[in-house]
Amino acid sequence: MSFPPKTDREAILGTALAIIETQGWSALSMRALGRTLGLRASSLYHHFPDRNAIEEALGSKASGSLLLALKSACLGLIGGPRIHALAEAYIDFALNNQALYNLVTTLPRSDENKPEGKALRDFFLETLNGDTSAAGALWAFLHGYASLHSSGRFDTTNATEVFERGLSAIVTDLVKKKNIL
Amino acid sequence: MSFPPKTDREAILGTALAIIETQGWSALSMRALGRTLGLRASSLYHHFPDRNAIEEALGSKASGSLLLALKSACLGLIGGPRIHALAEAYIDFALNNQALYNLVTTLPRSDENKPEGKALRDFFLETLNGDTSAAGALWAFLHGYASLHSSGRFDTTNATEVFERGLSAIVTDLVKKKNIL
DNA sequence: GTCTATAACGTGATAGAC
DNA sequence: GTCTATCACGTTATAGAC
């Protein structure tokens, strides 16, 4: 008689996501994972080589979720409205899924090979008509805004103003550089 | 004749900074601190209530260092050149003092009361002629750029281009909004 | 291959003796 | 102020049952 598998990679990642969402990033540990799954922490090492591997897999999953949210928000839109939708959906995701969002931007140290990371960049690039530097600048602004906002660096009264200002500055610059919207 | 104490708040913070700079953020622990200072970890609790208090103090110190670097770079400059100097000095500090910079932007959850955090914001505001939203947008862009750059999100070939593009977009927008430089 | 049990280690933190 | 001793916890690795 053999041991039926109590878990698999998907179950582990799903549980990890649940823990992160409900109790925050710091609550995610191998023991907590095993506890929730009904097994020992050491058993997890048969599915992932180490904690870092779980984090990287979570990062990929989170990137996929973010991309999905962005695509959904941009559905059927082009030009300026599409950029605005992208920006708002990005910030919305980042602020409402703080722990997950952190995984997207900090975790996969080299995401060049990761399909999710590339897909995210490509979607930015596509929405900005292939303007690489503008896409990078927009991404930088959005990430910075989300990051500073999350740590309470903006007054709630000024936050929206800052968002609109930065976004319009980048969009205006995009138009001026003759990349017609 | 007095007995010099083995340590004090300044010595602890200085040692903590040294550890972070040489071995990274993860190497900073109460035990490692005590080890380097030549005493037990438990003794540190007579100078700081807990680890978090040390981190907050470090964040304030790091903010001060950043502000100093910015002021030094902007010395004698006004208008556009001053903004460029500010931006370059900011990125330079962030990329060359990664662990310290992380403390500045993530650690003091509410820096409203912290004098260093306010001074940093005020310097941005002053350099941008009191334009609150532009100052916020610039800060967001710079922080986002530094953060994404640090985690290898930009190609080295495109990074400079992205930086110039975002900066010029915000500066141009500032001029257009009639805040003459 | 999957799981259990256990051990060794590092961590933040506290209590009490000197 | 500093020490020793101790706690509970998370991480990691190994040995072994099925």
Side-chain angles (χ1 to χ4, degrees):
Chain A
M1 213 152 197
S2 62
F3 278 105
K6 269 187 179 173
T7 190
D8 55 18
R9 288 179 62 100
E10 280 310 306
I12 293 175
L13 293 180
T15 305
L17 278 180
I19 291 178
I20 288 178
E21 281 169 357
T22 56
Q23 302 165 267
W25 170 257
S26 59
L28 180 66
S29 68
M30 302 299 269
R31 266 184 157 89
L33 258 178
R35 210 177 298 133
T36 311
L37 285 162
L39 40 79
R40 305 283 153 177
S42 54
S43 301
L44 300 171
Y45 289 86
H46 290 279
H47 301 275
F48 292 93
D50 55 17
R51 188 185 203 279
N52 192 55
I54 296 182
E55 292 178 354
E56 291 220 6
L58 281 177
S60 289
K61 262 184 121 63
S63 287
S65 300
L66 172 56
L67 180 60
L68 206 66
L70 297 184
K71 279 187 173 169
S72 163
C74 290
L75 233 171
L77 299 176
I78 57 168
R82 184 184 172 99
I83 298 180
H84 276 83
L86 167 69
E88 280 184 17
Y90 189 97
I91 298 301
D92 189 65
F93 182 94
L95 298 188
N96 291 316
N97 306 278
Q98 218 161 312
L100 259 62
Y101 178 71
N102 270 344
L103 264 57
V104 177
T105 47
T106 67
L107 250 171
R109 265 64 169 128
S110 63
D111 67 347
E112 299 301 332
N113 331 352
K114 316 266 171 160
E116 290 85 356
K118 179 169 173 15
L120 201 53
R121 263 199 308 279
D122 284 349
F123 190 72
F124 263 87
L125 207 53
E126 175 194 336
T127 300
L128 290 187
N129 292 348
D131 189 325
T132 312
S133 58
L138 177 61
W139 193 17
F141 169 69
L142 291 178
H143 171 56
Y145 176 82
S147 177
L148 292 178
H149 191 291
S150 287
S151 55
R153 289 302 185 292
F154 295 135
D155 296 348
T156 42
T157 50
N158 294 338
T160 310
E161 197 183 342
V162 168
F163 174 73
E164 300 288 352
R165 187 71 181 274
L167 186 56
S168 89
I170 291 176
V171 169
T172 303
D173 180 77
L174 188 65
V175 175
K176 201 186 61 183
K177 291 284 195 304
K178 314 227 169 31
N179 297 292
I180 302 111
L181 294 179
Chain B
M1 215 165 208
S2 63
F3 292 94
K6 258 189 180 176
T7 192
D8 55 18
R9 288 179 62 99
E10 280 310 306
I12 292 175
L13 293 180
T15 304
L17 277 180
I19 291 177
I20 286 178
E21 281 170 357
T22 55
Q23 303 166 268
W25 171 257
S26 59
L28 181 66
S29 68
M30 302 301 272
R31 281 180 167 80
L33 257 178
R35 214 177 296 134
T36 311
L37 285 162
L39 40 78
R40 302 287 133 174
S42 57
S43 301
L44 299 171
Y45 288 87
H46 287 274
H47 302 275
F48 291 93
D50 55 17
R51 189 188 200 278
N52 193 55
I54 297 181
E55 292 178 355
E56 292 221 3
L58 281 177
S60 291
K61 260 185 122 63
S63 287
S65 300
L66 172 56
L67 180 60
L68 207 66
L70 298 184
K71 279 187 174 169
S72 164
C74 292
L75 234 171
L77 299 175
I78 57 169
R82 183 184 172 100
I83 298 180
H84 276 83
L86 167 69
E88 280 183 18
Y90 189 96
I91 297 301
D92 189 65
F93 182 93
L95 299 188
N96 291 315
N97 305 278
Q98 220 163 313
L100 259 64
Y101 178 71
N102 270 344
L103 264 57
V104 176
T105 48
T106 67
L107 250 170
R109 265 64 169 126
S110 64
D111 66 348
E112 299 301 332
N113 332 352
K114 316 266 169 158
E116 290 87 357
K118 180 171 173 9
L120 201 52
R121 263 201 308 278
D122 284 349
F123 190 72
F124 263 87
L125 206 53
E126 175 194 338
T127 300
L128 291 187
N129 292 348
D131 188 325
T132 312
S133 58
L138 177 61
W139 193 18
F141 169 70
L142 290 178
H143 170 57
Y145 177 83
S147 178
L148 292 178
H149 191 291
S150 287
S151 53
R153 288 303 185 292
F154 295 134
D155 297 347
T156 43
T157 50
N158 295 338
T160 311
E161 197 184 341
V162 168
F163 173 73
E164 300 288 352
R165 187 71 181 274
L167 185 56
S168 89
I170 292 177
V171 170
T172 303
D173 181 78
L174 188 65
V175 175
K176 200 186 59 184
K177 291 285 196 303
K178 314 232 166 30
N179 297 292
I180 302 111
L181 293 179

